[in-house]
Amino acid sequence: IENRVDSLCALAHHMSDRISDTLDEEGRRVFVQVAPTSLTNVVFYTIPPSLRVAPVAGETDAELLARLDLDELAKVGPAVKSQMQRQGQALITYQPVKSFPNCWRMVFAGAKEDAMTTATVDDILSSMRGLTEDIFG
């Protein structure tokens, strides 16, 4: 069981790392984490191009969130999830967390090692990014 838990926590940390280091062509963040990774839970937003802001050196996710329009970000989850379901892609849920509406919540607790890998996580984030950019421009 220890190896399984370690593997699931590693997937969550991999996702957190990708959320932090994924930038668009203009060097702006594509994702922002709403809360620190907690065991196998990752809570984040996908930022549409129209809401992305210029980077500030050393800025924390909390500081970036303060500069974003949360009402507009709250529209992303429902639209992207609907499209993901239509395409038969990964099902990931969105929900309010603290004062943040409709953020993505990825829980790796039930993930099987042979079905969920770091490549799978990368594919999920890539798909979410692509759909967000397609829908919101």
Side-chain angles (χ1 to χ4, degrees):
I1 287 185
E2 180 180 347
N3 287 342
R4 180 162 168 71
V5 171
D6 288 346
S7 173
L8 296 172
C9 288
L11 286 172
H13 285 286
H14 176 78
M15 178 174 256
S16 179
D17 290 344
R18 290 298 152 279
I19 287 168
S20 295
D21 65 20
T22 301
L23 305 175
D24 68 9
E25 300 75 21
E26 297 176 33
R28 302 173 300 176
R29 296 273 303 272
V30 173
F31 304 101
V32 61
Q33 209 159 321
V34 171
T37 301
S38 176
L39 295 175
T40 65
N41 289 274
V42 184
V43 182
F44 63 100
Y45 280 117
T46 307
I47 309 169
S50 60
L51 297 178
R52 294 178 191 158
V53 295
V56 173
E59 182 174 53
T60 66
D61 282 357
E63 292 166 335
L64 174 56
L65 281 166
R67 296 193 302 132
L68 298 173
D69 184 335
L70 294 182
D71 291 332
E72 291 300 312
L73 278 179
K75 297 174 184 176
V76 175
V80 171
K81 181 171 181 173
S82 174
Q83 193 62 27
M84 289 177 88
Q85 287 176 315
R86 284 189 196 120
Q87 294 179 3
Q89 294 179 351
L91 296 180
I92 180 172
T93 190
Y94 61 88
Q95 68 185 68
V97 174
K98 299 180 183 175
S99 63
F100 302 102
N102 294 343
C103 20
W104 295 110
R105 181 176 199 154
M106 184 70 169
V107 180
F108 290 94
K112 301 207 185 276
E113 291 87 351
D114 59 338
M116 181 66 76
T117 65
T118 56
T120 309
V121 170
D122 294 345
D123 289 345
I124 291 168
L125 289 173
S126 177
S127 175
M128 293 174 79
R129 176 186 182 172
L131 287 171
T132 299
E133 291 172 352
D134 289 348
I135 296 167
F136 293 93

